[in-house]
């Protein structure tokens, strides 16, 4: 047993996993570019108040899961690691006066997020999100556009059976009456509620709907549903979002119980699940509209919408679905030699090949040629360049390890020859 291990709830991304994660990040970045989102990078920690105010103080994310950094004695500010990107991105929108930019401002980010959650399958204390935010557009068309983008991300990554669940949770015009009705519904059961939930009944009854505590699971099933309490404007917005989704042929399931766990949402909310999965922990992503958030963080009222998806969970879902993940890159060429001691000559040639853009490795150990060739084959390299007697006349043997052929070639021609053979191998190109 090693003395040190990665912290509980975190996981090392070993090279194989990192390559798979990088592929997802690339799919996200390419999609975001195609849809007009520009990259942004905010710090991994912020003033705690950004999250408390933005996400809401009476939420799991802030009450239970925020990684608070212990303040240093000489610094007054209290900081926390970001549990999600939206609050930080909106803080940046306000700070940099982005309301003077052409609206909506469409931004994308991906990177690690931190939640001090109880670790379990698919729930980590450090996890990766891919996120997009469109700030300054009241919708409804952009709501559908963003949901379609989420849907496309899953399909492009290899998950074709993802269900989008959709709801509207109203706005400050209609939600207060609904929340009052919700509180009235729970109040007679207050005695049965665990302490945390009893507190929420008074401070933020909507968050009771997220609770998995035993008496609540049952109570929540029969609780009043928010779509039955929408005002006319929210109803019209919700209907228009659905019309747009239908026009885009994005399938979705209306889910009246979907309220999301963060307080900033208004109107459109959605989540993505592997089809057939009824669990709550398995959400592959989620998002929604947050028309009050910019104002909460200090600017004039500005609508916004976005979504974030959990890349670790997408990787788990891909592996559960048996989708083959990309292989790790291997050196295309290994430079070996008949004289085990001549490592400088091998290294020089590998260096020249790398400078020309070819992934090459030189055999650095002074071992026999046979062993060097075995190692090259084990690496999965396409070619071995063998330096022998011909080196005196500026030649080498080029062995195609895949085709099993070998020929003598001038070292000056190696790059062109390797590129040509590689093209032939990958594309069946006869030139
Ligand atoms: P969220 O639903 O809290 O939303 O997180 C988005 C996704 O991140 C989840 O659906 C899940 O895939 C992943 N995720 C969350 N927590 C964990 C965890 N502990 N371990 C592994 N994966 C996790 C947000 O974060 C919002 N900022 C989304 C958004 C953007 N809304 C508007 N704009």
């Amino acid at each position: 047993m090693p003395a040190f291990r990665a912290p509980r709830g975190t996981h090392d991304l070993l090279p194989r996993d990192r390559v798979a994660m990088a592929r997802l990040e690339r799919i996200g970045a390419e999609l975001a570019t195609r849809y007009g989102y520009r990259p942004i990078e905010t710090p991994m920690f912020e003033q705690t108040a950004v999250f408390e105010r933005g996400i809401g103080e009476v939420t799991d994310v802030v009450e239970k899961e925020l990684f608070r950094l212990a303040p240093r004695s000489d610094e007054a500010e209290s900081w926390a690691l970001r549990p999600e990107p939206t609050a930080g991105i909106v803080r940046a929108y306000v700070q940099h006066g982005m309301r003077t930019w052409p609206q909506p401002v469409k931004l994308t980010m991906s990177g690690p997020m931190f939640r001090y959650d109880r670790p379990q399958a698919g729930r980590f204390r450090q996890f990766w999100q891919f996120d997009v935010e469109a700030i300054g557009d009241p919708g409804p068309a952009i709501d559908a556009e963003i949901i379609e983008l989420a849907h496309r991300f899953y399909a492009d990554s290899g998950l074709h059976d993802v269900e989008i669940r959709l709801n509207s949770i109203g706005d400050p015009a209609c939600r207060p009456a609904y929340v009052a009705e919700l509180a009235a519904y729970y109040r007679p059961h207050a005695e049965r509620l665990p302490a945390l939930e009893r507190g929420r009944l008074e401070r933020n009854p909507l968050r009771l709907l997220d609770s998995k505590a035993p008496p609540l699971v049952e109570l929540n099933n029969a609780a009043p549903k928010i779509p039955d309490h929408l005002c006319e404007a929210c109803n019209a917005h919700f209907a228009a979002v659905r019309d747009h989704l239908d026009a885009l042929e994005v399938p979705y399931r209306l889910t009246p119980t979907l309220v999301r766990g963060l307080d900033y949402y208004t109107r459109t909310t959605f989540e993505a699940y592997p089809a057939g999965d009824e669990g709550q922990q398995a959400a592959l992503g989620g998002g929604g509209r947050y028309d009050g958030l910019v104002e909460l963080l200090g600017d004039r009222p500005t609508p916004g919408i976005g979504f974030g998806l959990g890349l670790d969970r997408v990787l788990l879902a891909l592996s559960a679905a048996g989708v083959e993940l990309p292989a790790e890159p291997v050196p295309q060429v290994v430079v070996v030699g008949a004289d085990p001691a001549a490592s400088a000559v091998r290294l020089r040639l590998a260096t020249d090949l790398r400078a020309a853009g070819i992934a090459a490795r030189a055999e650095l150990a002074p071992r026999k040629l046979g062993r060097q060739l075995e190692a090259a084959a084990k690496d999965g390299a396409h070619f071995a360049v063998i330096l022998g007697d011909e080196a005196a006349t500026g030649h080498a043997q080029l062995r195609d390890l895949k085709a099993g052929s070998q020929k003598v070639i001038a070292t000056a021609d190696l790059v062109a020859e390797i590129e040509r053979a590689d093209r032939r191998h990958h594309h069946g190109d006869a030139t």
Side-chain angles (χ1 to χ4, degrees):
M1 197 67 157
F4 297 110
R5 308 175 64 85
R8 202 163 110 78
T10 71
H11 53 167
D12 297 312
L13 289 174
L14 299 183
R16 211 186 114 79
D17 313 319
R18 190 65 188 91
V19 166
M21 179 77 89
R23 171 179 163 268
L24 293 184
E25 290 179 300
R26 207 162 43 244
I27 290 172
E30 278 170 12
L31 272 179
T33 304
R34 236 187 287 160
Y35 282 68
Y37 289 80
R38 298 158 73 197
I40 186 169
E41 192 74 42
T42 63
M44 292 204 197
F45 61 98
E46 296 270 352
Q47 287 172 272
T48 311
V50 169
F51 305 124
E52 289 170 341
R53 205 171 296 170
I55 296 166
E57 289 191 66
V58 187
T59 56
D60 277 356
V61 169
V62 168
E63 268 186 318
K64 300 200 252 169
E65 299 166 8
L66 206 56
F67 260 97
R68 294 168 191 273
L69 301 179
R72 309 282 293 249
S73 54
D74 53 346
E75 299 193 75
E77 284 187 308
S78 133
W79 292 316
L81 296 183
R82 63 183 184 200
E84 57 103 51
T86 313
I89 290 176
V90 170
R91 190 268 310 140
Y93 176 93
V94 173
Q95 178 180 340
H96 302 285
M98 293 189 205
R99 70 178 153 80
T100 64
W101 299 9
Q103 305 290 301
V105 176
K106 294 162 81 179
L107 301 168
T108 183
M109 189 162 97
S110 83
M113 306 295 151
F114 306 86
R115 295 187 192 179
Y116 195 76
D117 213 340
R118 199 161 47 78
Q120 52 181 264
R123 217 210 273 169
F124 307 109
R125 288 181 172 171
Q126 176 175 339
F127 58 97
W128 262 254
Q129 270 194 15
F130 164 68
D131 179 89
V132 302
E133 308 291 347
I135 307 172
D137 185 328
I142 198 160
D143 303 35
E145 186 184 62
I146 263 194
I147 293 170
E148 192 275 334
L149 165 54
H151 190 251
R152 190 169 299 274
F153 177 96
Y154 298 115
D156 284 2
S157 71
L159 290 177
H160 296 286
D161 228 1
V162 171
E163 179 180 87
I164 302 283
R165 300 186 191 164
L166 180 71
N167 197 19
S168 171
I169 61 164
D171 68 3
C174 49
R175 205 180 322 156
Y178 167 72
V179 171
E181 190 174 323
L182 198 60
Y185 165 79
Y186 286 117
R187 208 159 278 128
H189 308 281
E191 293 301 301
R192 290 168 55 207
L193 301 183
L196 180 90
E197 275 73 8
R198 214 174 310 137
R200 287 189 177 179
L201 175 53
E202 299 314 319
R203 299 174 66 201
N204 193 356
L206 199 60
R207 293 280 73 87
L208 288 176
L209 291 171
D210 316 330
S211 176
K212 297 288 149 315
L216 277 153
V217 173
E218 200 185 308
L219 281 173
N220 286 349
N221 282 334
K225 304 284 182 288
I226 201 160
D228 301 331
H229 297 75
L230 297 180
C231 59
E232 216 169 294
C234 285
N235 251 325
H237 186 274
F238 192 27
V241 172
R242 295 188 320 253
D243 284 347
H244 282 80
L245 283 173
D246 295 341
L248 299 179
E249 296 177 51
V250 174
Y252 54 88
R253 176 143 73 105
L254 292 177
T255 310
T257 49
L258 174 68
V259 292
R260 307 274 297 133
L262 315 167
D263 274 354
Y264 50 60
Y265 291 112
T266 52
R267 295 190 165 172
T268 312
T269 51
F270 61 96
E271 271 176 349
Y273 285 84
D277 195 320
E278 293 306 317
Q280 283 283 325
Q281 289 321 326
L284 297 170
R289 179 160 283 290
Y290 45 84
D291 293 345
L293 183 55
V294 174
E295 190 181 11
L296 262 181
L297 294 182
D299 212 331
R300 61 174 75 148
T302 308
I305 182 165
F307 80 86
L309 55 85
L311 297 182
D312 311 77
R313 290 193 189 168
V314 172
L315 285 181
L316 288 171
L318 284 168
S319 130
V323 176
E324 199 165 324
L325 297 175
E328 278 173 65
V330 294
Q332 201 178 348
V333 178
V334 178
V335 181
V336 299
D339 175 4
S343 54
V345 181
R346 296 194 291 276
L347 184 55
R348 174 59 205 250
L349 181 55
T351 303
D352 292 346
L353 292 173
R354 289 165 180 164
I358 290 174
R361 167 177 89 73
E363 175 61 57
L364 301 181
R367 48 185 173 176
K368 290 203 178 108
L369 179 58
R371 303 290 300 280
Q372 298 181 35
L373 282 166
E374 275 170 28
K378 215 180 248 171
D379 270 2
H382 190 167
F383 302 100
V385 174
I386 307 167
L387 296 174
D389 296 340
E390 314 86 350
T393 60
H395 288 76
Q397 301 268 357
L398 178 64
R399 183 181 294 188
D400 186 327
L401 297 165
K402 307 252 184 243
S405 57
Q406 182 165 324
K407 62 180 167 188
V408 176
I409 176 169
T411 40
D413 297 338
L414 265 176
V415 170
E417 179 60 26
I418 287 167
E419 283 172 349
R420 200 175 315 130
D422 198 50
R423 261 200 313 277
R424 214 163 35 231
H425 179 73
H426 281 111
H427 308 291
D429 176 351
T431 55

